[in-house]
């Protein structure tokens, strides 16, 4: 299960098995979506599978998660998502009303995100060989000229911005899965981020890096960026937006919010000269109203992420080995 968690074991699987098998320059970037040239257009292409358990959780379900996740992977390249495909794997015996709920949620999410589900596929496996419903989506979108967003472009001095409170999705899924109550309902943050990204690019096309911190949370995303760019990242612990309910739940469960998955948040590396304007634009957008500066990109400790703690010390935030919460997307 650890190999599917977005941490060190996932990286090992990709680097030792998949990358050598498919080896090419496009894949070598190891980004959530690949930017390709086709017929004179710059296209972003992405694919993802969704196996979340349970299928329905506070704030969302498998259906809108499948749409938003792929839309967001495209947006992290600066693309305007346009079309999706959807492949369903259904387990024998799953109720058709459940399948309909998932499909309708996908349709509503696609309409909200401004994309079209243009093609798809359906397979059925025998009872006991699935878990109700799995969905794989692929998406394509247009990348504007002058936009070059990738982890290798992080530079010392860049301001690190997070678009809102972290940890909500992972804790929301876990609360339903394990039947836990924390005094208040914690709802997933699942949402499409393409319009927020477009708003940021209207301020400046020179955004260096975007990443949606899903599996492995903010910690995994920042470590991947630091390693890809050969720079260090320094965070301010008190600036990281962890909701009280998430902090309480993580304290109860022994989890670190930095490693808990999000599905409607992004982290941006922005040149310091543009940071104030980008932050203001984000805060004026519904999906970025809680945006805050959490740190900066530095020359020290290249390839590493450290946090300045509230007590005046520092601690290393390493790439997680596997996943604290499996099957959250």
């Amino acid at each position: 299960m650890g190999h599917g968690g977005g941490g060190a074991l996932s990286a090992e699987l990709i680097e030792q098995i998949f990358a050598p098998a498919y080896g090419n320059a496009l894949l070598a970037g190891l980004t959530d979506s690949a930017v390709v040239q086709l017929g004179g257009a710059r296209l972003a292409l992405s694919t993802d599978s969704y196996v979340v358990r349970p299928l329905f959780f506070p704030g969302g379900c498998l259906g809108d998660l499948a749409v938003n996740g792929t839309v967001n992977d495209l947006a992290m390249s600066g693309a305007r998502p346009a079309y999706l495909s959807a492949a369903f794997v259904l387990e024998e015996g799953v109720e058709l009303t459940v399948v309909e709920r998932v499909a309708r949620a996908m349709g509503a999410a696609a309409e909200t995100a401004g994309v079209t589900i243009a093609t798809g596929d359906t397979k059925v496996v025998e009872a006991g060989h699935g878990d109700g419903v799995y969905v794989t989506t692929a998406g394509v979108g247009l990348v504007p000229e002058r936009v070059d967003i990738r982890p290798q472009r992080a530079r010392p001095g860049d301001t690190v911005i997070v678009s809102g409170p972290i940890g909500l999705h992972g804790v929301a899924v876990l609360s339903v899965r394990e039947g836990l109550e924390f005094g208040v309902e914690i709802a997933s943050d699942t949402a499409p981020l393409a319009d927020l990204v477009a708003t940021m690019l209207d301020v400046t096309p020179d955004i260096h890096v975007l990443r949606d911190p899903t599996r492995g949370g903010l910690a995994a995303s920042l470590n991947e960026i630091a390693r890809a760019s050969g720079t260090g990242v320094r965070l301010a612990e008190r600036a990281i937006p962890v909701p009280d309910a998430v902090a309480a739940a993580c304290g109860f469960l022994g989890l670190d919010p930095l490693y808990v998955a999000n599905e409607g948040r992004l982290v941006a590396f922005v040149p310091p000269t543009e940071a104030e304007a980008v932050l203001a634009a984000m805060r004026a957008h519904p999906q970025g109203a809680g945006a805050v500066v959490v740190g900066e990109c530095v020359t020290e400790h290249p390839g590493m992420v450290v946090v300045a703690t509230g007590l005046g010390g520092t601690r290393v935030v390493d790439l997680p080995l596997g996943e604290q919460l499996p099957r959250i997307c």
Side-chain angles (χ1 to χ4, degrees):
M1 292 301 294
H3 284 92
L9 290 177
S10 291
E12 178 183 280
L13 186 68
I14 293 167
E15 292 167 5
Q16 296 184 10
I17 295 180
F18 296 128
Y22 312 143
N24 59 72
L26 282 172
L27 186 65
L30 297 179
T31 51
D32 287 338
S33 59
V35 177
V36 301
Q37 294 279 350
L38 186 64
R42 294 179 72 213
L43 302 177
L45 175 68
S46 183
T47 188
D48 210 341
S49 293
Y50 297 87
V51 296
V52 64
R53 180 173 61 85
L55 298 178
F56 305 95
F57 46 84
C61 73
L62 173 69
D64 44 47
L65 195 64
V67 170
N68 293 339
T70 297
V71 163
N72 293 347
D73 283 347
L74 295 171
M76 295 307 106
S77 292
R80 271 291 193 178
Y83 297 100
L84 303 184
S85 68
F88 279 71
V89 177
L90 309 178
E91 183 184 15
E92 176 190 14
V94 65
E95 295 181 3
L96 292 180
T97 53
V98 170
V99 180
E100 182 180 19
R101 284 182 65 188
V102 171
R104 288 189 177 276
M106 288 183 69
E111 183 176 359
T112 299
V115 296
T116 300
I117 300 176
T119 187
D121 183 46
T122 305
K123 296 292 190 296
V124 177
V125 297
E126 297 88 345
H129 290 264
D131 197 4
V133 183
Y134 297 149
V135 176
T136 295
T137 49
V140 63
L142 281 170
V143 181
E145 292 298 325
R146 299 171 56 211
V147 170
D148 182 17
I149 298 173
R150 47 194 170 88
Q152 294 80 6
R153 291 199 68 218
R155 297 287 184 271
D158 280 356
T159 299
V160 180
I161 302 173
V162 171
S163 64
I166 65 170
L168 292 164
H169 175 72
V171 173
V173 172
L174 184 66
S175 67
V176 178
R177 183 186 299 172
E178 304 299 336
L180 301 174
E181 295 184 4
F182 302 110
V184 296
E185 182 179 80
I186 300 175
S188 171
D189 58 2
T190 178
L193 298 173
D195 193 64
L196 173 61
V197 170
T199 297
M200 297 164 66
L201 291 173
D202 284 343
V203 175
T204 175
D206 191 31
I207 292 173
H208 290 167
V209 188
L210 292 173
R211 184 63 64 91
D212 57 332
T214 54
R215 293 178 303 167
L218 185 61
S221 293
L222 293 177
N223 270 279
E224 290 166 0
I225 294 166
R227 295 181 184 192
S229 61
T231 61
V233 176
R234 182 169 59 229
L235 304 176
E237 186 173 56
R238 288 181 174 173
I240 300 170
V242 180
D244 290 343
V246 170
C250 287
F252 175 73
L253 298 166
L255 303 175
D256 185 337
L258 288 175
Y259 293 93
V260 178
N262 312 270
E263 288 292 345
R265 299 288 180 256
L266 64 80
V267 58
F269 282 57
V270 181
T273 54
E274 307 286 355
E276 186 175 339
V278 170
L279 183 63
M282 293 175 71
R283 288 175 171 172
H285 190 283
Q287 297 303 335
V292 292
V293 173
V294 296
E296 62 181 337
C297 195
V298 297
T299 55
E300 296 84 10
H301 49 78
M304 294 176 60
V305 180
V306 303
V307 171
T309 68
L311 298 176
T314 60
R315 65 182 176 94
V316 174
V317 178
D318 205 355
L319 189 69
L321 181 64
E323 172 60 85
Q324 294 185 108
L325 308 173
R327 302 280 301 278
I328 45 74
C329 64

